[in-house]
């Protein structure tokens, strides 16, 4: 009998409970920060959002980099 590991379905919970073992998609980022997918693309275009890498034709986000970016934004807002 084999057991399958289940991955959380809510991308926001992945950063709360530790870093996921996969790169995040633009849809994941949009859902985590409760913004539209267009906003995520605008952030990338203006270079103000979490850093993304291109894998083939897809944009992917390193969970550690997204977490660091979110922390940076929180600290920046607290200092303002």
């Amino acid at each position: 009998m084999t057991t399958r590991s289940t991955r959380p379905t809510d991308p926001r919970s992945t950063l709360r409970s530790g870093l996921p073992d996969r790169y995040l998609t633009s849809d994941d980022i949009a859902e985590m920060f409760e913004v539209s997918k267009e906003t995520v693309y605008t952030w990338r275009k203006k270079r103000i959002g979490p850093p993304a890498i291109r894998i083939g034709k897809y944009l992917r986000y390193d969970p550690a980099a997204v977490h660091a970016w979110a922390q940076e934004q929180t600290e920046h807002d607290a200092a303002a």
Side-chain angles (χ1 to χ4, degrees):
M1 183 167 128
T2 60
T3 59
R4 294 188 326 181
S5 63
T6 57
R7 196 167 62 189
T9 57
D10 181 9
R12 290 174 291 189
S13 68
T14 60
L15 290 180
R16 285 190 217 117
S17 64
L19 299 175
D21 59 352
R22 66 178 178 89
Y23 284 102
L24 302 171
T25 65
S26 297
D27 289 329
D28 293 335
I29 299 299
E31 188 174 331
M32 278 194 312
F33 295 107
E34 298 178 354
V35 296
S36 69
K37 198 170 172 181
E38 290 78 23
T39 298
V40 175
Y41 289 132
T42 300
W43 286 349
R44 175 157 167 82
K45 184 177 180 181
K46 292 182 177 182
R47 298 179 187 268
I48 59 172
I53 58 173
R54 186 165 294 282
I55 301 176
K57 65 179 183 177
Y58 302 103
L59 288 177
R60 295 294 183 257
Y61 296 83
D62 180 2
V66 172
H67 183 70
W69 177 81
Q71 286 296 112
E72 182 181 299
Q73 298 306 306
T74 303
E75 292 167 3
H76 182 267
D77 287 347

